[in-house]
Amino acid sequence: MKQKRKDPLPQKIVVIVWKDIISRADWVGTISEIKEEMEPIPCVSVGWIVEKTKEKITIADSFTEDHNFGGVTSIPVEVVEEFYELNSKS
């Protein structure tokens, strides 16, 4: 009989697709060149939900047995394009 895996955390695992800013400090060129080059960058983050509010989603990509978190990222809700919950019980 296959034994069910016990999740070390009750939090859900999620995938978040979001847009990040782009910035350059060097000379870029004309306005038309800037418009072509300066588009927000698509990003994908995966982790356990630490906190979810109206303003932000905070996730951690690592944790220990005693529930210490690492690799923590807080993403403003306004830049989230897609949000998926993964089945962490399988």
Side-chain angles (χ1 to χ4, degrees):
M1 180 173 168
K2 187 176 180 182
Q3 199 172 22
K4 277 193 171 182
R5 178 174 65 101
K6 288 185 180 180
D7 279 339
L9 291 174
Q11 288 86 341
K12 295 181 188 260
I13 298 173
V14 296
V15 176
I16 303 173
V17 180
W18 56 285
K19 290 266 186 160
D20 197 3
I21 64 168
I22 185 170
S23 177
R24 290 184 58 175
D26 60 331
W27 289 95
V28 179
T30 65
I31 289 177
S32 61
E33 291 170 324
I34 292 170
K35 287 180 181 180
E36 286 177 27
E37 292 186 26
M38 300 300 289
E39 289 295 321
I41 301 167
C43 298
V44 177
S45 296
V46 179
W48 285 268
I49 293 179
V50 174
E51 181 181 30
K52 186 176 177 184
T53 69
K54 290 179 187 175
E55 293 83 26
K56 66 182 179 180
I57 302 169
T58 303
I59 61 173
D61 65 17
S62 301
F63 65 91
T64 62
E65 281 183 355
D66 56 352
H67 292 212
N68 284 309
F69 293 93
V72 178
T73 303
S74 189
I75 303 168
V77 170
E78 293 87 7
V79 300
V80 173
E81 296 192 321
E82 299 175 51
F83 181 90
Y84 305 100
E85 289 184 8
L86 301 180
N87 181 357
S88 63
K89 306 267 186 218
S90 56

